[in-house]
Amino acid sequence: MVYTKTQFVRFTSALILKSGSVLPETTVAYETYGQLNSNRSNAILICHAFTGDAHAAFFHEGDTKPGWWDEMIGPGKPFDTDKFFIICSNVLGSCKGTTGPASVDPATGHPYGLTFPVITIHDMVALQKMLVDHLGIERLLCVAGGSMGGMQALTWAATYPDAVASAIVIAACHRHTAQQIAFHEVGRQAVMSDPDWQSGNYYGHSIPKRGLAVARMIGHITYMSWSSMDKKFGRNLVGKNVSYNFSKEFQVEGYLEHRGQTFVDRFDANSYLYLTKAMDYFDLTAEGRKLTDVLRNVAQDLLIISFQSDWLYPSDQSREMVRALKANDTDVSYIEIKSDYGHDAFLMECPDQARAITNYLAKVSFERRET
Amino acid sequence: MVYTKTQFVRFTSALILKSGSVLPETTVAYETYGQLNSNRSNAILICHAFTGDAHAAFFHEGDTKPGWWDEMIGPGKPFDTDKFFIICSNVLGSCKGTTGPASVDPATGHPYGLTFPVITIHDMVALQKMLVDHLGIERLLCVAGGSMGGMQALTWAATYPDAVASAIVIAACHRHTAQQIAFHEVGRQAVMSDPDWQSGNYYGHSIPKRGLAVARMIGHITYMSWSSMDKKFGRNLVGKNVSYNFSKEFQVEGYLEHRGQTFVDRFDANSYLYLTKAMDYFDLTAEGRKLTDVLRNVAQDLLIISFQSDWLYPSDQSREMVRALKANDTDVSYIEIKSDYGHDAFLMECPDQARAITNYLAKVSFERRET
């Protein structure tokens, strides 16, 4: 077993946010795996999805489960720690060590709560850039991520084209659609309508458990496909017979309850609001910009991956990006993977995804060696 | 303007439910349109969807909006009131005049609340049969409905094949899947986690508004298609600029809030629980039965309609029924309609649906005249 620890860095230089608000200081939680080579050319930044954290691989001492993408990161794995220096940091606004609404506002000595400024994907990436600079890396070999992590990877490629040689954008999009906003908004309403939410000032009191659990249940339905749910649960009952009451009687009900209940113990309700909002704001084509124009000065090379059964971030959204990149003559590879797992597929064991990423990283690191 | 009134009939004979529970008396709210012919062969029963009611067509005095399927019912319309005698009744368990959890339990003099027995689609249909018998109709020309109404129509065809000559099953299924159960369960959890729900004993007190509104918002997302949401709202803002706070800023958020808020004024939270549960129990193939066997002694003739963009009750589920009916050599017509409106399509202006139903009813009434 390979052990790892989360590290922390505190920045006292102000972070100016997209909204115009300023965070006077920020802390970033991050982990690294593998060794940075002498010319600092083998660094890869992994961006996590919505409720993820910096702990992407290996084990924390005492844990029986490894990091969230251990399937993909390690010796001989696609993000091969024998070849690459892997960085993963917790995003701004989250609750896993990086500054967010549950952090103490230095101006008041109390948790920010809703006085924390609303953030965007762009702001998350700006803070990651500070971390990468801090680590002394001028140019990343690659930025990769799925879902909200894919939005960050795309934003990196579009915002810092000189600081990133390639990007892997998985199960993501370049703009949130009405349906994606709608699902998030219902989750937020579930949280905010819980009386324990107290306008976000619940720290030190009861947390809005019930609302947050409902929000998470909604999320989980959207992360799975129709058929993966049907194969996993079908109409199977928890007990032997139908109970004719409102207890959990279908296994799918028990599963959702379990997912909701465990989530409230590990995630902050205000972070739920801030991160969903950041995704909803995500739109590279805001203010009438054309996608081809936005992606004109993008990182040199991109790999876009989508999953056939992902109805939350459907393949059509990936193909839209691919078309715009191709129109710009950017090097872009695209693969639509046949998987039953829906949006969650990128987090599951997925040989096709592993192979695509292995080959892609072999190509971009070979090309980088050439230049 | 043609005016109509809801009528009521009270049955004092016991209704024995699928669960074994007994309702000692029941009231049914219903409306009729058109004239029953002398040999009572032109009666059509319309079954409403989840939150519908008996008021399917024409106007209630003082109202500016007609019944929920006025588009389809009336002189010269598909359910032509110059030719047919149309009946629509509010389902058992609802809150629109027919006995449900908000009704007074004659044994206690108080509203049933959660002491109301859990009901099934089969129970709704059994009560409709009592109404049809009461109206002196031995055999319906047709039973028709969409969504939960389609489940009732199919149940009629399978349960009372001699009492119904044909059935129109729209945007429905023969069994609820894991995902369909999951969406309902999240809605129920939203209601039941509202402290005002008070285990269902909220009558005469504050109603669980917040939870019920969240439940309805979830429902609304599933009733629309990805593209109808995108065309209707896209990323349009309520105001001129992004507000960088948690107010309603996207139009789709405002729409969902409005739908949630108006719903709590017109629908009972406990009925929400009972009717979603009835749909979740719906499975004609329960206890290992084969669909072909269940549908062997079905009504003579069926029309199945589905909508391409309906992802809540996808066309695959309709095709499953069609295959089983065809295997039995039952007369079945199937049409998959190209519409952008998702599951809601059957309630919208839909010329293809209107044409299919007009032609189908011409066929079945001609055939009935022949025999």
Side-chain angles (χ1 to χ4, degrees):
Chain A
M1 255 191 207
V2 182
Y3 290 104
T4 181
K5 268 188 182 166
T6 304
Q7 302 173 67
F8 299 88
V9 56
R10 182 162 162 255
F11 297 108
T12 50
S13 56
L15 178 64
I16 301 166
L17 303 172
K18 196 94 175 173
S19 65
S21 295
V22 176
L23 280 170
E25 56 172 66
T26 44
T27 297
V28 178
Y30 69 100
E31 297 193 4
T32 68
Y33 321 104
Q35 298 298 322
L36 188 61
N37 63 12
S38 56
N39 57 357
R40 299 166 180 270
S41 66
N42 70 335
I44 296 176
L45 178 70
I46 303 286
C47 302
H48 69 72
F50 182 15
T51 65
D53 53 32
H55 182 35
F58 302 147
F59 287 82
H60 282 176
E61 219 171 318
D63 281 2
T64 51
K65 277 173 72 178
W68 58 269
W69 225 13
D70 191 74
E71 196 76 56
M72 296 292 288
I73 304 166
K77 294 181 182 177
F79 295 102
D80 191 340
T81 48
D82 290 338
K83 294 178 187 164
F84 306 118
F85 177 64
I86 311 289
I87 310 157
C88 182
S89 71
N90 185 219
V91 297
L92 181 68
S94 184
C95 51
K96 304 286 188 180
T98 295
T99 303
S103 304
V104 169
D105 178 354
T108 66
H110 297 292
Y112 279 104
L114 278 221
T115 67
F116 192 75
V118 165
I119 51 156
T120 64
I121 300 289
H122 186 273
D123 298 326
M124 296 175 190
V125 168
L127 185 59
Q128 286 163 356
K129 181 71 167 61
M130 286 163 71
L131 172 68
V132 169
D133 289 345
H134 165 79
L135 294 173
I137 297 155
E138 269 182 32
R139 193 165 189 238
L140 292 162
L141 177 63
C142 188
V143 181
S147 196
M148 191 181 84
M151 298 177 209
Q152 293 162 59
L154 189 64
T155 302
W156 261 97
T159 315
Y160 306 110
D162 298 332
V164 52
S166 69
I168 302 175
V169 178
I170 308 170
C173 63
H174 76 274
R175 68 201 293 262
H176 242 215
T177 62
Q179 194 191 61
Q180 288 158 346
I181 295 171
F183 274 118
H184 277 172
E185 170 65 2
V186 178
R188 285 191 293 266
Q189 287 302 322
V191 170
M192 296 195 290
S193 68
D194 186 328
D196 286 333
W197 180 60
Q198 298 279 2
S199 303
N201 296 314
Y202 53 80
Y203 300 110
H205 306 280
S206 298
I207 60 170
K209 274 190 185 187
R210 289 162 302 182
L212 186 57
V214 168
R216 185 58 170 177
M217 289 168 75
I218 300 166
H220 259 290
I221 303 177
T222 65
Y223 304 152
M224 293 180 75
S225 74
W226 187 91
S227 81
S228 67
M229 271 208 158
D230 220 47
K231 280 182 193 161
K232 191 165 181 176
F233 307 110
R235 294 182 52 82
N236 297 339
L237 299 173
V238 175
K240 218 178 150 193
N241 295 304
V242 160
S243 60
Y244 290 113
N245 61 36
F246 292 101
S247 64
K248 302 275 162 301
E249 47 182 355
F250 291 104
Q251 288 179 12
V252 66
E253 295 174 332
Y255 170 80
L256 289 175
E257 184 189 38
H258 171 74
R259 285 306 190 114
Q261 293 311 322
T262 53
F263 186 66
V264 301
D265 295 330
R266 72 172 180 87
F267 210 78
D268 176 53
N270 285 336
S271 280
Y272 195 98
L273 305 183
Y274 279 89
L275 297 189
T276 53
K277 197 71 183 173
M279 285 185 260
D280 290 349
Y281 278 136
F282 186 58
D283 178 10
L284 288 185
T285 57
E287 289 150 34
R289 288 191 291 268
K290 277 190 178 171
L291 189 57
T292 42
D293 293 339
V294 176
L295 296 181
R296 186 144 296 144
N297 296 308
V298 88
Q300 292 174 357
D301 200 310
L302 285 100
L303 169 62
I304 314 271
I305 297 176
S306 70
F307 298 92
Q308 240 174 35
S309 61
D310 181 354
W311 58 276
L312 186 61
Y313 292 89
S315 292
D316 278 351
Q317 288 191 296
S318 287
R319 280 191 278 263
E320 232 182 311
M321 295 186 257
V322 172
R323 271 194 299 271
L325 289 161
K326 279 199 184 295
N328 284 340
D329 278 333
T330 304
D331 264 331
V332 56
S333 309
Y334 170 58
I335 172 171
E336 186 190 37
I337 294 176
K338 207 177 156 154
S339 159
D340 217 33
Y341 286 115
H343 185 58
D344 263 351
F346 76 96
L347 293 169
M348 315 300 265
E349 194 197 328
C350 181
D352 284 343
Q353 175 178 263
R355 203 172 306 118
I357 292 178
T358 302
N359 293 340
Y360 180 72
L361 289 177
K363 187 195 90 161
V364 294
S365 45
F366 177 78
E367 282 169 0
R368 185 137 195 219
R369 222 169 291 141
E370 297 286 280
T371 56
Chain B
M1 256 190 203
V2 182
Y3 290 104
T4 180
K5 266 188 184 167
T6 304
Q7 302 173 67
F8 298 88
V9 55
R10 181 161 162 255
F11 297 109
T12 50
S13 56
L15 177 64
I16 301 167
L17 302 172
K18 195 94 175 174
S19 64
S21 295
V22 176
L23 281 170
E25 56 172 64
T26 43
T27 297
V28 178
Y30 70 99
E31 297 193 3
T32 68
Y33 320 104
Q35 297 298 321
L36 188 61
N37 61 13
S38 55
N39 57 356
R40 298 165 179 273
S41 66
N42 70 333
I44 296 176
L45 178 70
I46 303 287
C47 303
H48 69 72
F50 182 15
T51 64
D53 53 32
H55 181 35
F58 302 147
F59 287 81
H60 282 175
E61 221 173 315
D63 281 2
T64 51
K65 278 174 71 178
W68 58 269
W69 225 13
D70 191 74
E71 197 77 54
M72 296 290 289
I73 304 166
K77 295 181 182 177
F79 295 101
D80 190 341
T81 48
D82 290 338
K83 295 178 186 163
F84 306 119
F85 177 64
I86 311 290
I87 311 157
C88 181
S89 71
N90 184 219
V91 297
L92 181 68
S94 185
C95 51
K96 304 286 187 178
T98 294
T99 303
S103 304
V104 170
D105 179 354
T108 66
H110 297 292
Y112 279 104
L114 278 220
T115 66
F116 192 75
V118 165
I119 50 155
T120 64
I121 300 289
H122 186 273
D123 299 326
M124 294 175 191
V125 168
L127 185 58
Q128 285 162 356
K129 181 71 165 64
M130 285 163 70
L131 172 68
V132 169
D133 289 345
H134 165 79
L135 295 173
I137 297 156
E138 270 183 32
R139 194 165 187 238
L140 291 162
L141 176 63
C142 187
V143 180
S147 196
M148 191 180 84
M151 299 177 209
Q152 293 162 61
L154 189 65
T155 302
W156 261 97
T159 315
Y160 306 111
D162 297 332
V164 52
S166 69
I168 302 175
V169 179
I170 307 169
C173 63
H174 75 275
R175 68 201 294 262
H176 241 216
T177 62
Q179 194 192 60
Q180 287 158 347
I181 295 170
F183 274 118
H184 276 171
E185 171 65 1
V186 178
R188 284 191 293 266
Q189 288 302 322
V191 170
M192 296 194 289
S193 68
D194 186 328
D196 286 332
W197 180 61
Q198 298 279 2
S199 303
N201 295 315
Y202 52 80
Y203 301 110
H205 307 280
S206 298
I207 60 169
K209 274 190 186 189
R210 289 162 300 184
L212 186 58
V214 168
R216 185 57 170 176
M217 289 169 75
I218 300 165
H220 259 290
I221 303 177
T222 66
Y223 305 152
M224 294 180 76
S225 76
W226 187 92
S227 81
S228 67
M229 270 208 158
D230 220 47
K231 279 181 195 163
K232 191 166 179 173
F233 307 110
R235 295 182 51 82
N236 297 339
L237 299 172
V238 175
K240 218 178 150 194
N241 294 305
V242 159
S243 60
Y244 290 111
N245 61 36
F246 293 101
S247 63
K248 302 274 163 302
E249 47 182 353
F250 291 104
Q251 288 179 12
V252 66
E253 296 174 331
Y255 171 80
L256 289 175
E257 185 190 36
H258 171 74
R259 285 307 190 117
Q261 293 310 323
T262 52
F263 186 66
V264 300
D265 295 330
R266 71 171 180 88
F267 210 78
D268 176 54
N270 285 336
S271 280
Y272 195 98
L273 305 182
Y274 279 88
L275 298 189
T276 54
K277 197 72 184 172
M279 283 185 261
D280 290 350
Y281 277 137
F282 186 58
D283 178 10
L284 288 185
T285 57
E287 291 149 34
R289 289 192 292 267
K290 277 191 177 169
L291 190 57
T292 43
D293 293 339
V294 176
L295 297 181
R296 186 144 295 144
N297 295 309
V298 88
Q300 292 173 357
D301 200 309
L302 285 99
L303 169 63
I304 314 270
I305 297 177
S306 70
F307 297 92
Q308 239 174 36
S309 61
D310 182 354
W311 58 274
L312 185 62
Y313 293 90
S315 291
D316 278 351
Q317 290 191 294
S318 286
R319 281 191 278 263
E320 232 182 311
M321 294 185 257
V322 172
R323 272 193 299 272
L325 289 162
K326 280 200 183 295
N328 285 340
D329 277 333
T330 304
D331 264 331
V332 56
S333 309
Y334 170 58
I335 171 171
E336 186 190 37
I337 293 175
K338 206 175 156 156
S339 159
D340 218 33
Y341 286 115
H343 185 58
D344 264 350
F346 75 97
L347 292 169
M348 315 300 265
E349 195 198 329
C350 180
D352 284 344
Q353 176 179 261
R355 205 172 303 119
I357 292 179
T358 302
N359 294 340
Y360 180 73
L361 290 177
K363 186 193 91 161
V364 294
S365 45
F366 178 78
E367 282 168 0
R368 188 141 192 217
R369 221 168 291 140
E370 298 287 282
T371 54

